[in-house]
Amino acid sequence: MSTVFKHSAAAARLYARSRARAYATSSAIRKDLIQDLYLKELKLYKAPSAAKDAHVGAVKPFTAPTLPSAPTLPDLAAELAAYDATEPTRAAVADMPTTHGEPAAGAEAYLTFLEADEVQEEAHH
């Protein structure tokens, strides 16, 4: 390396050290200074006042909902009288085939079927 380069590098380091020392402050002083400035600005801040009609266009005007009407009760006495006056009718029973292809004969036929003795076939060995 050349001697000029060495001398200029040493001078730059010395200059940087002296500048760093000249501006060095303690962190506690810096913290208080910044905090003081921040608090001062907060105290001086005045919020802008909003106009009285600033909400127009952003908020819908309030309208009360319509009141519901009372439900009407049906005339239950007339309906019950009409129901009592009608004669009951029997529904026609459709013949449904059973599993054996015989027509269904009702509950009595089913009960007799259940009570009938079944012939058990003997197993052939």
Side-chain angles (χ1 to χ4, degrees), residues 96-112:
M96 297 181 68
T98 60
T99 56
H100 301 292
E102 302 170 356
E108 291 296 326
Y110 183 69
L111 289 176
T112 55

Side-chain angles (χ1 to χ4, degrees), residues 30-110:
R30 188 178 313 159
K31 179 182 174 190
D32 290 340
L33 177 67
I34 292 172
Q35 184 177 8
D36 291 342
L37 285 173
Y38 181 73
L39 290 174
K40 183 176 124 183
E41 290 298 322
L42 277 178
K43 289 177 184 176
L44 293 176
Y45 178 75
K46 300 284 185 199
S49 60
K52 291 188 178 193
D53 59 350
H55 67 281
V56 175
V59 179
K60 289 184 179 179
F62 176 75
T63 56
T66 58
L67 295 175
S69 60
T72 57
L73 295 176
D75 188 14
L76 295 177
E79 288 184 16
L80 284 174
Y83 179 75
D84 288 338
T86 59
E87 284 292 323
T89 58
R90 297 188 83 182
V93 178
D95 289 337
M96 297 181 68
T98 60
T99 56
H100 301 292
E102 302 170 356
E108 291 296 326
Y110 183 69

